[in-house]
Each structure stands twice: as C-alpha cells, then as structure tokens.
Amino acid sequence: MRILYLLFAIVFLLFQAAPGSADPLFADTAECRSQGNFCRAGACPPTFTASGSCHGGLLKCCSK
C-alpha cells in the first residue's frame, strides 16, 4: 500500500506542467489575441469582421 502512494506522487510530478508550456503554438494566433481579437472556426459574428487567420490558417481572427 505504501508503494501506491509513492507511485502516485511520482506520476503527479511527471505530469506537472512546465513553466512556459502554455505558450501558443501558432504565431498568428498570438498576434490575433494580443490585439484584443478572438479566433473562431466559422464566420465571425455580425458586428465583427475577419481581420486575419489563426491556428495556421484554419480559423479566422475576428475583430470589431
């Protein structure tokens, strides 16, 4: 039973997030969000326009 607690602690430490691991993978996504815009898979809402792309061109960057 004590080994189970030790294994749990080791697994917990292995799967902890490393600092900086939440960085976006795509530069266009980071640029879109830094301008206060958002990414969307479909068409932008009626009051927004598509101002670029996100996720390597798979999504649209919607801006006011």
mmCIF file of all heavy atoms in Angstrom, residues 27-60:
data_model
loop_
_atom_site.group_PDB
_atom_site.id
_atom_site.type_symbol
_atom_site.label_atom_id
_atom_site.label_comp_id
_atom_site.label_asym_id
_atom_site.label_seq_id
_atom_site.Cartn_x
_atom_site.Cartn_y
_atom_site.Cartn_z
ATOM 1 N N ALA A 27 2.052 31.542 -34.287
ATOM 2 C CA ALA A 27 2.342 32.964 -34.128
ATOM 3 C C ALA A 27 1.142 33.825 -34.515
ATOM 4 O O ALA A 27 0.896 34.861 -33.895
ATOM 5 C CB ALA A 27 3.552 33.344 -34.973
ATOM 6 N N ASP A 28 0.372 33.384 -35.525
ATOM 7 C CA ASP A 28 -0.780 34.189 -35.944
ATOM 8 C C ASP A 28 -1.859 34.223 -34.876
ATOM 9 O O ASP A 28 -2.538 35.235 -34.697
ATOM 10 C CB ASP A 28 -1.344 33.703 -37.281
ATOM 11 C CG ASP A 28 -1.710 32.224 -37.287
ATOM 12 O OD1 ASP A 28 -1.417 31.533 -36.305
ATOM 13 O OD2 ASP A 28 -2.286 31.776 -38.295
ATOM 14 N N THR A 29 -1.994 33.152 -34.106
ATOM 15 C CA THR A 29 -2.956 33.127 -33.002
ATOM 16 C C THR A 29 -2.520 34.093 -31.903
ATOM 17 O O THR A 29 -3.338 34.840 -31.366
ATOM 18 C CB THR A 29 -3.088 31.706 -32.435
ATOM 19 O OG1 THR A 29 -3.469 30.831 -33.488
ATOM 20 C CG2 THR A 29 -4.112 31.640 -31.327
ATOM 21 N N ALA A 30 -1.240 34.098 -31.571
ATOM 22 C CA ALA A 30 -0.730 35.002 -30.542
ATOM 23 C C ALA A 30 -0.902 36.455 -30.971
ATOM 24 O O ALA A 30 -1.270 37.311 -30.170
ATOM 25 C CB ALA A 30 0.735 34.701 -30.269
ATOM 26 N N GLU A 31 -0.663 36.743 -32.245
ATOM 27 C CA GLU A 31 -0.815 38.107 -32.746
ATOM 28 C C GLU A 31 -2.272 38.548 -32.712
ATOM 29 O O GLU A 31 -2.588 39.669 -32.322
ATOM 30 C CB GLU A 31 -0.289 38.198 -34.172
ATOM 31 C CG GLU A 31 -0.340 39.583 -34.749
ATOM 32 C CD GLU A 31 0.182 39.637 -36.172
ATOM 33 O OE1 GLU A 31 0.813 38.663 -36.603
ATOM 34 O OE2 GLU A 31 -0.056 40.658 -36.825
ATOM 35 N N CYS A 32 -3.183 37.656 -33.083
ATOM 36 C CA CYS A 32 -4.614 37.976 -33.073
ATOM 37 C C CYS A 32 -5.083 38.297 -31.654
ATOM 38 O O CYS A 32 -5.744 39.305 -31.425
ATOM 39 C CB CYS A 32 -5.405 36.803 -33.641
ATOM 40 S SG CYS A 32 -7.196 37.018 -33.612
ATOM 41 N N ARG A 33 -4.703 37.474 -30.713
ATOM 42 C CA ARG A 33 -5.150 37.675 -29.333
ATOM 43 C C ARG A 33 -4.467 38.858 -28.668
ATOM 44 O O ARG A 33 -5.041 39.492 -27.785
ATOM 45 C CB ARG A 33 -4.928 36.403 -28.535
ATOM 46 C CG ARG A 33 -5.834 35.305 -29.041
ATOM 47 C CD ARG A 33 -5.989 34.205 -28.059
ATOM 48 N NE ARG A 33 -6.931 33.229 -28.580
ATOM 49 C CZ ARG A 33 -7.066 32.018 -28.125
ATOM 50 N NH1 ARG A 33 -6.315 31.622 -27.124
ATOM 51 N NH2 ARG A 33 -7.938 31.200 -28.648
ATOM 52 N N SER A 34 -3.248 39.181 -29.079
ATOM 53 C CA SER A 34 -2.559 40.325 -28.475
ATOM 54 C C SER A 34 -3.216 41.642 -28.879
ATOM 55 O O SER A 34 -3.075 42.639 -28.184
ATOM 56 C CB SER A 34 -1.090 40.334 -28.882
ATOM 57 O OG SER A 34 -0.957 40.647 -30.256
ATOM 58 N N GLN A 35 -3.942 41.645 -29.995
ATOM 59 C CA GLN A 35 -4.636 42.845 -30.446
ATOM 60 C C GLN A 35 -6.036 42.945 -29.860
ATOM 61 O O GLN A 35 -6.791 43.844 -30.213
ATOM 62 C CB GLN A 35 -4.716 42.853 -31.970
ATOM 63 C CG GLN A 35 -3.370 42.923 -32.639
ATOM 64 C CD GLN A 35 -3.455 42.718 -34.136
ATOM 65 O OE1 GLN A 35 -4.509 42.413 -34.678
ATOM 66 N NE2 GLN A 35 -2.335 42.876 -34.806
ATOM 67 N N GLY A 36 -6.403 42.018 -28.995
ATOM 68 C CA GLY A 36 -7.713 42.043 -28.354
ATOM 69 C C GLY A 36 -8.796 41.376 -29.179
ATOM 70 O O GLY A 36 -9.982 41.524 -28.901
ATOM 71 N N ASN A 37 -8.407 40.638 -30.200
ATOM 72 C CA ASN A 37 -9.366 39.932 -31.053
ATOM 73 C C ASN A 37 -9.526 38.499 -30.582
ATOM 74 O O ASN A 37 -8.887 38.071 -29.627
ATOM 75 C CB ASN A 37 -8.887 39.984 -32.504
ATOM 76 C CG ASN A 37 -8.685 41.401 -32.990
ATOM 77 O OD1 ASN A 37 -9.336 42.322 -32.524
ATOM 78 N ND2 ASN A 37 -7.766 41.580 -33.918
ATOM 79 N N PHE A 38 -10.354 37.727 -31.284
ATOM 80 C CA PHE A 38 -10.543 36.328 -30.917
ATOM 81 C C PHE A 38 -10.599 35.466 -32.165
ATOM 82 O O PHE A 38 -10.850 35.947 -33.264
ATOM 83 C CB PHE A 38 -11.816 36.143 -30.067
ATOM 84 C CG PHE A 38 -13.084 36.549 -30.771
ATOM 85 C CD1 PHE A 38 -13.850 35.621 -31.453
ATOM 86 C CD2 PHE A 38 -13.524 37.862 -30.722
ATOM 87 C CE1 PHE A 38 -15.014 35.994 -32.093
ATOM 88 C CE2 PHE A 38 -14.695 38.249 -31.349
ATOM 89 C CZ PHE A 38 -15.441 37.312 -32.039
ATOM 90 N N CYS A 39 -10.343 34.189 -31.991
ATOM 91 C CA CYS A 39 -10.337 33.232 -33.095
ATOM 92 C C CYS A 39 -11.661 32.476 -33.127
ATOM 93 O O CYS A 39 -12.221 32.155 -32.081
ATOM 94 C CB CYS A 39 -9.193 32.240 -32.928
ATOM 95 S SG CYS A 39 -7.568 33.022 -32.916
ATOM 96 N N ARG A 40 -12.119 32.182 -34.338
ATOM 97 C CA ARG A 40 -13.389 31.481 -34.472
ATOM 98 C C ARG A 40 -13.327 30.544 -35.669
ATOM 99 O O ARG A 40 -12.760 30.871 -36.710
ATOM 100 C CB ARG A 40 -14.506 32.494 -34.640
ATOM 101 C CG ARG A 40 -15.853 31.842 -34.630
ATOM 102 C CD ARG A 40 -16.906 32.840 -34.331
ATOM 103 N NE ARG A 40 -18.201 32.159 -34.341
ATOM 104 C CZ ARG A 40 -19.256 32.638 -33.815
ATOM 105 N NH1 ARG A 40 -19.221 33.798 -33.219
ATOM 106 N NH2 ARG A 40 -20.388 31.981 -33.862
ATOM 107 N N ALA A 41 -13.948 29.368 -35.539
ATOM 108 C CA ALA A 41 -13.915 28.368 -36.606
ATOM 109 C C ALA A 41 -14.839 28.741 -37.754
ATOM 110 O O ALA A 41 -14.488 28.596 -38.915
ATOM 111 C CB ALA A 41 -14.294 27.000 -36.048
ATOM 112 N N GLY A 42 -16.024 29.238 -37.457
ATOM 113 C CA GLY A 42 -16.972 29.604 -38.505
ATOM 114 C C GLY A 42 -16.835 31.068 -38.877
ATOM 115 O O GLY A 42 -15.796 31.697 -38.692
ATOM 116 N N ALA A 43 -17.901 31.599 -39.413
ATOM 117 C CA ALA A 43 -17.926 33.017 -39.764
ATOM 118 C C ALA A 43 -17.941 33.862 -38.486
ATOM 119 O O ALA A 43 -18.444 33.443 -37.448
ATOM 120 C CB ALA A 43 -19.158 33.317 -40.602
ATOM 121 N N CYS A 44 -17.399 35.056 -38.593
ATOM 122 C CA CYS A 44 -17.401 35.979 -37.457
ATOM 123 C C CYS A 44 -18.828 36.449 -37.191
ATOM 124 O O CYS A 44 -19.648 36.511 -38.104
ATOM 125 C CB CYS A 44 -16.506 37.175 -37.758
ATOM 126 S SG CYS A 44 -14.761 36.745 -37.920
ATOM 127 N N PRO A 45 -19.143 36.822 -35.937
ATOM 128 C CA PRO A 45 -20.470 37.352 -35.624
ATOM 129 C C PRO A 45 -20.772 38.600 -36.465
ATOM 130 O O PRO A 45 -19.852 39.229 -37.001
ATOM 131 C CB PRO A 45 -20.375 37.706 -34.141
ATOM 132 C CG PRO A 45 -19.260 36.872 -33.616
ATOM 133 C CD PRO A 45 -18.307 36.701 -34.739
ATOM 134 N N PRO A 46 -22.042 38.971 -36.573
ATOM 135 C CA PRO A 46 -22.443 40.076 -37.455
ATOM 136 C C PRO A 46 -21.722 41.405 -37.223
ATOM 137 O O PRO A 46 -21.453 42.124 -38.171
ATOM 138 C CB PRO A 46 -23.936 40.230 -37.179
ATOM 139 C CG PRO A 46 -24.371 38.913 -36.671
ATOM 140 C CD PRO A 46 -23.204 38.335 -35.949
ATOM 141 N N THR A 47 -21.395 41.751 -36.008
ATOM 142 C CA THR A 47 -20.754 43.050 -35.759
ATOM 143 C C THR A 47 -19.230 42.988 -35.859
ATOM 144 O O THR A 47 -18.558 43.975 -35.618
ATOM 145 C CB THR A 47 -21.147 43.582 -34.373
ATOM 146 O OG1 THR A 47 -20.749 42.636 -33.385
ATOM 147 C CG2 THR A 47 -22.642 43.826 -34.292
ATOM 148 N N PHE A 48 -18.673 41.843 -36.207
ATOM 149 C CA PHE A 48 -17.227 41.661 -36.299
ATOM 150 C C PHE A 48 -16.828 41.350 -37.737
ATOM 151 O O PHE A 48 -17.631 40.867 -38.527
ATOM 152 C CB PHE A 48 -16.770 40.510 -35.389
ATOM 153 C CG PHE A 48 -16.940 40.786 -33.931
ATOM 154 C CD1 PHE A 48 -18.135 40.501 -33.293
ATOM 155 C CD2 PHE A 48 -15.915 41.345 -33.198
ATOM 156 C CE1 PHE A 48 -18.306 40.757 -31.940
ATOM 157 C CE2 PHE A 48 -16.070 41.609 -31.847
ATOM 158 C CZ PHE A 48 -17.265 41.314 -31.217
ATOM 159 N N THR A 49 -15.573 41.631 -38.070
ATOM 160 C CA THR A 49 -15.055 41.310 -39.395
ATOM 161 C C THR A 49 -13.823 40.419 -39.251
ATOM 162 O O THR A 49 -13.121 40.474 -38.240
ATOM 163 C CB THR A 49 -14.645 42.584 -40.162
ATOM 164 O OG1 THR A 49 -13.654 43.277 -39.406
ATOM 165 C CG2 THR A 49 -15.829 43.488 -40.403
ATOM 166 N N ALA A 50 -13.565 39.620 -40.274
ATOM 167 C CA ALA A 50 -12.384 38.767 -40.274
ATOM 168 C C ALA A 50 -11.177 39.622 -40.627
ATOM 169 O O ALA A 50 -11.116 40.233 -41.693
ATOM 170 C CB ALA A 50 -12.561 37.635 -41.263
ATOM 171 N N SER A 51 -10.212 39.696 -39.705
ATOM 172 C CA SER A 51 -9.046 40.551 -39.924
ATOM 173 C C SER A 51 -7.769 39.748 -40.143
ATOM 174 O O SER A 51 -6.705 40.314 -40.250
ATOM 175 C CB SER A 51 -8.861 41.491 -38.730
ATOM 176 O OG SER A 51 -8.592 40.749 -37.564
ATOM 177 N N GLY A 52 -7.872 38.443 -40.185
ATOM 178 C CA GLY A 52 -6.694 37.612 -40.376
ATOM 179 C C GLY A 52 -7.033 36.156 -40.125
ATOM 180 O O GLY A 52 -8.191 35.752 -40.214
ATOM 181 N N SER A 53 -6.005 35.382 -39.813
ATOM 182 C CA SER A 53 -6.222 33.957 -39.575
ATOM 183 C C SER A 53 -5.593 33.549 -38.247
ATOM 184 O O SER A 53 -4.767 34.256 -37.685
ATOM 185 C CB SER A 53 -5.622 33.131 -40.705
ATOM 186 O OG SER A 53 -4.218 33.296 -40.732
ATOM 187 N N CYS A 54 -6.001 32.371 -37.766
ATOM 188 C CA CYS A 54 -5.475 31.789 -36.529
ATOM 189 C C CYS A 54 -5.190 30.310 -36.778
ATOM 190 O O CYS A 54 -5.728 29.718 -37.705
ATOM 191 C CB CYS A 54 -6.495 31.904 -35.401
ATOM 192 S SG CYS A 54 -6.886 33.576 -34.904
ATOM 193 N N HIS A 55 -4.384 29.733 -35.927
ATOM 194 C CA HIS A 55 -4.046 28.305 -35.975
ATOM 195 C C HIS A 55 -3.558 27.888 -37.355
ATOM 196 O O HIS A 55 -3.995 26.905 -37.931
ATOM 197 C CB HIS A 55 -5.224 27.434 -35.545
ATOM 198 C CG HIS A 55 -5.550 27.539 -34.094
ATOM 199 N ND1 HIS A 55 -4.636 27.286 -33.109
ATOM 200 C CD2 HIS A 55 -6.679 27.900 -33.455
ATOM 201 C CE1 HIS A 55 -5.190 27.469 -31.930
ATOM 202 N NE2 HIS A 55 -6.434 27.857 -32.112
ATOM 203 N N GLY A 56 -2.658 28.684 -37.908
ATOM 204 C CA GLY A 56 -2.061 28.348 -39.188
ATOM 205 C C GLY A 56 -3.030 28.433 -40.355
ATOM 206 O O GLY A 56 -2.880 27.717 -41.329
ATOM 207 N N GLY A 57 -4.035 29.289 -40.266
ATOM 208 C CA GLY A 57 -4.986 29.468 -41.352
ATOM 209 C C GLY A 57 -6.254 28.652 -41.230
ATOM 210 O O GLY A 57 -7.133 28.741 -42.080
ATOM 211 N N LEU A 58 -6.393 27.858 -40.174
ATOM 212 C CA LEU A 58 -7.585 27.020 -40.008
ATOM 213 C C LEU A 58 -8.765 27.807 -39.445
ATOM 214 O O LEU A 58 -9.912 27.477 -39.731
ATOM 215 C CB LEU A 58 -7.278 25.834 -39.088
ATOM 216 C CG LEU A 58 -6.248 24.846 -39.609
ATOM 217 C CD1 LEU A 58 -5.943 23.805 -38.549
ATOM 218 C CD2 LEU A 58 -6.732 24.193 -40.879
ATOM 219 N N LEU A 59 -8.492 28.852 -38.655
ATOM 220 C CA LEU A 59 -9.538 29.655 -38.037
ATOM 221 C C LEU A 59 -9.446 31.098 -38.518
ATOM 222 O O LEU A 59 -8.437 31.496 -39.116
ATOM 223 C CB LEU A 59 -9.411 29.612 -36.507
ATOM 224 C CG LEU A 59 -9.445 28.251 -35.850
ATOM 225 C CD1 LEU A 59 -9.219 28.395 -34.353
ATOM 226 C CD2 LEU A 59 -10.742 27.551 -36.116
ATOM 227 N N LYS A 60 -10.469 31.870 -38.251
ATOM 228 C CA LYS A 60 -10.493 33.288 -38.615
ATOM 229 C C LYS A 60 -10.271 34.132 -37.370
ATOM 230 O O LYS A 60 -10.789 33.814 -36.305
ATOM 231 C CB LYS A 60 -11.828 33.651 -39.251
ATOM 232 C CG LYS A 60 -12.072 32.956 -40.564
ATOM 233 C CD LYS A 60 -13.414 33.307 -41.114
ATOM 234 C CE LYS A 60 -13.657 32.531 -42.401
ATOM 235 N NZ LYS A 60 -15.015 32.650 -42.870
#
